[in-house]
Amino acid sequence: MEIKCEWCGGNASSGENTVYWELPDGSRAIVITMTPAINCQECDMVYQTDNIIKEIEDQLFLVDTMIIGNSISFKELMVLPRLLKRNYFDFSS
């Protein structure tokens, strides 16, 4: 499957990178390693898709963030037990 960069329209590929995310309560920021990303070979932009951003935001809203240290991998974050089944405050879907 061919991936087009959302910024320049050039050829891109799937990859991973490290992101820095503020917790929903604003208390601190964490490092999320090995986060799925799009890497553009033409403009060198590295970014997360809207779906990945929503996954991260929802998960951070639904888990006990006190158990997260300063750094966590994307996969570790996604398997943390949720306090609610879904984000009942998200009216976008």
Side-chain angles (χ1 to χ4, degrees):
M1 181 177 113
E2 187 174 308
I3 300 173
K4 290 292 182 188
C5 175
E6 292 180 19
W7 295 93
C8 75
N11 293 322
S13 61
S14 296
E16 294 178 338
N17 73 335
T18 297
V19 296
Y20 304 87
W21 223 274
E22 184 177 352
L23 296 180
D25 66 2
S27 62
R28 62 191 172 103
I30 61 170
V31 177
I32 306 173
T33 61
M34 298 184 291
T35 305
I38 302 297
N39 301 307
C40 180
Q41 289 90 36
E42 295 185 32
C43 71
D44 292 326
M45 180 63 77
V46 179
Y47 62 93
Q48 279 63 49
T49 64
D50 290 341
N51 289 339
I52 294 297
I53 292 169
K54 182 165 177 24
E55 281 185 56
I56 293 170
E57 291 287 333
D58 283 347
Q59 189 70 350
L60 287 173
F61 189 74
L62 297 172
V63 300
D64 179 5
T65 57
M66 297 300 287
I67 64 172
I68 300 173
N70 292 332
S71 179
I72 190 169
S73 75
F74 178 79
K75 288 181 183 178
E76 290 171 329
L77 174 63
M78 290 300 123
V79 298
L80 288 177
R82 291 181 168 192
L83 302 174
L84 297 170
K85 290 182 183 178
R86 67 189 250 338
N87 184 351
Y88 293 101
F89 299 102
D90 178 9
F91 302 108
S92 65
S93 49

